[in-house]
Amino acid sequence: MPDARRTDAVLLLVALVWGSSYLSAQTAAAALPVLGVLFARYALSALACLGLVAAARRGPHGRTRGWTREEIRAGVPLGVTQAAVLLIETYGVAHTSAANAGLIISLTIVLTPLLDRSGHRGGLPPVFFVAAGVCVLAVGLLMAGNGFHALRLGDLLMLGAAVVRAAHVVLVGRLTAGRTIRPLQLTAVQTLVGSALFLAPAARDVPDLAHVGLAAWAQLLYLALFCSVFAFLAQTWAVQRTSASRASLLLGTEPIWAAAVGIGLAGEHFTVLTGLGAALMVAGTYWGQAIERAHRTTDFTTATHPDARRPDAKPPNPTHPNVTEEDPACPTAPPPPTPTPTPTKPTTV
């Protein structure tokens, strides 16, 4: 599988996991206070990450090197922004339906390109925002499938979570681009930061963890191991290999998976509007992805070949962007021609 397709597949898997997280968070928040859910989620995630770091250091290719300064400098602010996202999301899903939470958070796909100015000369083309508008229309149709209603507190909180998540995705790209940062170590720092942030506010709720049932613990473990550790690792790994805007578009398929989980596990009905919204979401996501990829390729070509936009310019070699079709084998200049010797008159004695 090509690297670009592998990265896309990982991001789609993250979207699937996060799409199922709203029902799990809602179930866990019904058994525990929100701050208790968040602390348990982060504490379990931190333990899992520390175990993976220790196992990697003891493995056949393990090293004794711990965290680098770059990983700590990037992990601390990313841990704060990630904790803010989960805090607003969990309070939001506790005051609205899991389906609406998954639908509203998908507006991140519109907000991220507005914040992401890296890798684009002059910003994204207007047609990109048309594709994003298709995704917004899809969100409206998906929401209409379950019935329109006035905005509630939970809906407004999910709108705020979409803004913070867009900023977090952009920040991941900016703090990790061009740096040697290991996703596992970075994720461990983020989970430790989140655990520290929620320890004091959730101190009163920690004893309640001993009294929750197996179903609530199953939801907490799923949120910690899959929706946090795996998703954080996969998102960091993928964003390092693509742009924040493209990652946001693929993660924007999250409401489709949220609807699928609702239909399969929560008994929600699949209406015509829901199906149309899901189809538009997939179409808008891949259309926007193609536009963004083509725009980045054009920017790269223009940067490496300033005369590439001239009508008489030769197109670049698609395999080697730094080599034109006039010289497909090597970008170096040809050797200078050998000078022709000047004939001389014979010497007479």
Side-chain angles (χ1 to χ4, degrees):
M1 182 185 297
D3 290 340
R5 298 303 179 191
R6 185 183 302 113
T7 303
D8 293 349
V10 170
L11 288 171
L12 285 174
L13 185 57
V14 172
L16 188 156
V17 171
W18 276 343
S20 65
S21 68
Y22 300 103
L23 184 60
S24 297
Q26 191 176 57
T27 304
L32 278 172
V34 170
L35 292 176
V37 171
L38 290 170
F39 173 73
R41 177 175 180 174
Y42 265 106
L44 293 171
S45 302
L47 291 175
C49 286
L50 292 176
L52 290 175
V53 170
R57 294 177 64 177
R58 291 195 302 264
H61 303 289
R63 300 179 180 178
T64 58
R65 186 181 64 167
W67 285 268
T68 64
R69 289 184 179 181
E70 287 186 337
E71 290 164 351
I72 295 176
R73 289 175 181 175
V76 171
L78 291 178
V80 173
T81 56
Q82 185 64 65
V85 173
L86 292 182
L87 176 65
I88 302 173
E89 279 187 3
T90 308
Y91 269 113
V93 76
H95 293 84
T96 187
S97 66
N100 277 349
L103 295 171
I104 295 172
I105 198 68
S106 65
L107 294 177
T108 303
I109 64 174
V110 180
L111 300 170
T112 301
L114 298 177
L115 301 177
D116 180 24
R117 299 298 181 182
S118 59
H120 302 291
R121 298 167 62 90
L124 290 163
V127 68
F128 176 88
F129 296 94
V130 176
V134 172
C135 295
V136 174
L137 176 61
V139 170
L141 291 174
L142 287 168
M143 188 175 294
N146 294 322
F148 284 111
H149 58 79
L151 286 177
R152 295 175 293 192
L153 174 61
D155 299 323
L156 295 176
L157 288 173
M158 294 309 300
L159 287 174
V163 176
V164 179
R165 182 191 279 195
H168 174 75
V169 173
V170 174
L171 193 61
V172 170
R174 291 181 179 178
L175 294 181
T176 61
R179 296 178 174 87
T180 305
I181 294 178
R182 295 163 294 178
L184 176 58
Q185 279 71 11
L186 180 64
T187 303
V189 174
Q190 293 182 74
T191 56
L192 289 172
V193 170
S195 300
L197 290 174
F198 291 116
L199 176 59
R204 296 183 303 174
D205 304 324
V206 172
D208 295 338
L209 292 172
H211 305 290
V212 299
L214 292 178
W217 271 107
Q219 302 297 339
L220 291 174
L221 287 172
Y222 178 75
L223 289 171
L225 300 181
F226 290 91
C227 304
S228 293
V229 176
F230 165 74
F232 292 175
L233 280 172
Q235 183 194 30
T236 303
W237 178 88
V239 171
Q240 286 180 302
R241 288 159 176 79
T242 186
S243 68
S245 296
R246 181 173 177 181
S248 181
L249 281 169
L250 291 170
L251 294 174
T253 60
E254 185 177 317
I256 297 177
W257 309 116
V261 170
I263 294 169
L265 299 180
E268 297 181 1
H269 298 288
F270 190 82
T271 65
V272 175
L273 290 178
T274 302
L276 180 58
L280 283 179
M281 180 63 74
V282 173
T285 297
Y286 281 94
W287 183 27
Q289 172 192 336
I291 295 169
E292 195 271 340
R293 182 172 62 244
H295 185 63
R296 280 191 293 117
T297 303
T298 302
D299 283 346
F300 177 81
T301 303
T302 304
T304 54
H305 300 279
D307 297 332
R309 291 185 177 179
R310 294 186 312 172
D312 58 342
K314 298 290 184 178
N317 190 317
T319 305
H320 303 282
N322 292 328
V323 184
T324 61
E325 290 295 335
E326 294 178 348
D327 187 13
C330 182
T332 57
T338 304
T340 304
T342 304
T344 58
K345 295 181 180 180
T347 305
T348 57
V349 180

